[in-house]
Amino acid sequence: MNKKHILSLFIIGLMSFSTFAQGKLFIIGGGKRPPELIKRLTEEAKLKEGYGIVLSMSSSEPDTSAYYGVLQFKKQGFDNVSSMFYTTEQPPTSSALDSIRKASLIYITGGDQNRFMKRIEKTGIYEAIHDCFENGGMIAGTSAGAAVMSEVMITGDEKNYPDYDDTGRSIESNNLIYGKGLGMINKVIIDQHFIQRSRYNRLMTAVIDHPKLRGIGIDESTAILVHQNEFEVVGVSQVILIEKPQQIDTKETKIGARKISVSILKSGDKIKL
């Protein structure tokens, strides 16, 4: 066996190990979180074998958000979940970052996704979350904690309509404002509270703005479990998948597009990414 062959086998083995070690995502669309949903989350995270950390930086009331974030796991019998709150002005210690890297579960609470990304800027938390995932950990989040999962992040703001609207008032070009999320899941855009708040306009616009990305609208009390290039719908409602717009026309304010694919997915349905 020559050196070139040995090197090729080593690279293949390294790639296989990386795929195996990579963790999971549990992305919840907000609203109430039934015990069955949290039970599935803890099982997939293998929380009995490690510990969990709740990050409440999305919230305007982080102490309250952290309390209820931890409480949902205590009700399942887990006392090995604690909360952390850091900002750019109050960054984590190297020990705290190490705790994030080695956690079995990172859970990001609801609130404002823009606030979360702003607060973790230059703190090392972004990198620590990715390290946790690459080490096999579970990264989970609800509501704003769901929105931050994709790299192209829907901020909820609109250029043409400064007054915030919960649904998205139109399908218009150059209107939605996007931010940079955690990028835990590639080639998709996540939206949350989806059916409950009728956010079809918003996600459809986002997909037309980014036609190579798939829009995943997750309803309340529902999640997608992402693992090894596949996601499964978990929970009591549905997930809407919007993708593949054709004949896009953005020459005027009102957008035109043809043959957009829309799928309605129920609990147990699985889709390849």
Side-chain angles (χ1 to χ4, degrees):
M1 188 180 293
N2 59 39
K3 291 182 180 179
K4 190 174 182 180
H5 190 200
I6 293 172
L7 180 60
S8 297
L9 289 174
F10 173 76
I11 292 172
I12 292 170
L14 190 63
M15 289 171 66
S16 299
F17 174 78
S18 176
T19 301
F20 176 79
Q22 199 173 65
K24 301 176 183 179
L25 306 175
F26 201 88
I27 309 175
I28 307 170
K32 294 181 179 179
R33 296 174 293 283
E36 296 80 8
L37 196 70
I38 300 303
K39 182 182 179 183
R40 179 69 184 276
L41 169 55
T42 59
E43 289 173 347
E44 294 289 343
K46 297 181 180 178
L47 194 53
K48 289 182 179 179
E49 301 174 16
Y51 62 89
I53 294 174
V54 172
L55 300 179
S56 59
M57 284 82 90
S58 299
S59 178
S60 59
E61 298 179 346
D63 290 343
T64 302
S65 187
Y67 172 79
Y68 285 107
V70 172
L71 182 62
Q72 66 187 340
F73 297 108
K74 284 188 175 181
K75 288 181 177 179
Q76 292 284 334
F78 292 96
D79 293 320
N80 55 345
V81 180
S82 58
S83 65
M84 286 186 176
F85 177 81
Y86 295 105
T87 65
T88 303
E89 294 74 27
Q90 298 176 313
T93 63
S94 58
S95 176
L97 289 175
D98 199 45
S99 294
I100 293 173
R101 292 188 192 99
K102 295 178 180 178
S104 300
L105 168 66
I106 301 297
Y107 180 86
I108 303 170
T109 68
D112 184 329
Q113 56 265 38
N114 306 297
R115 184 185 293 125
F116 181 87
M117 295 306 300
K118 183 65 177 176
R119 282 177 170 170
I120 69 168
E121 191 175 352
K122 298 179 181 179
T123 61
I125 291 174
Y126 177 100
E127 293 79 7
I129 291 173
H130 279 267
D131 289 343
C132 176
F133 180 71
E134 293 300 329
N135 291 334
M138 166 77 81
I139 313 300
T142 185
S143 190
V148 299
M149 293 291 183
S150 52
E151 184 171 7
V152 176
M153 182 181 75
I154 293 176
T155 65
D157 298 321
E158 300 175 83
K159 295 177 185 176
N160 301 338
Y161 307 96
D163 295 333
Y164 178 76
D165 180 78
D166 211 24
T167 64
R169 277 159 286 208
S170 66
I171 303 176
E172 296 182 357
S173 61
N174 196 32
N175 179 39
L176 289 188
I177 298 174
Y178 305 96
K180 185 178 186 299
L182 290 173
M184 303 306 306
I185 179 171
N186 296 321
K187 299 182 180 178
V188 306
I189 302 176
I190 300 291
D191 208 346
Q192 71 283 2
H193 302 279
F194 195 74
I195 298 173
Q196 186 69 27
R197 300 186 185 179
S198 297
R199 286 177 164 168
Y200 302 92
N201 288 351
R202 190 163 83 171
L203 190 57
M204 202 167 291
T205 301
V207 171
I208 294 171
D209 284 345
H210 304 86
K212 293 183 179 180
L213 303 184
R214 306 169 89 179
I216 302 178
I218 309 170
D219 199 25
E220 296 184 358
S221 304
T222 306
I224 59 169
L225 169 64
V226 183
H227 183 50
Q228 292 186 350
N229 207 36
E230 181 180 76
F231 78 76
E232 176 189 350
V233 179
V234 180
V236 300
S237 188
Q238 297 126 302
V239 169
I240 308 299
L241 180 65
I242 301 175
E243 59 184 335
K244 302 176 183 176
Q246 299 178 37
Q247 296 177 250
I248 296 171
D249 181 1
T250 57
K251 295 175 184 176
E252 300 177 0
T253 300
K254 298 300 182 183
I255 291 174
R258 303 280 183 92
K259 299 181 180 180
I260 297 173
S261 174
V262 178
S263 301
I264 303 172
L265 308 174
K266 297 167 62 178
S267 184
D269 287 347
K270 296 181 180 181
I271 293 289
K272 289 287 184 182
L273 290 168

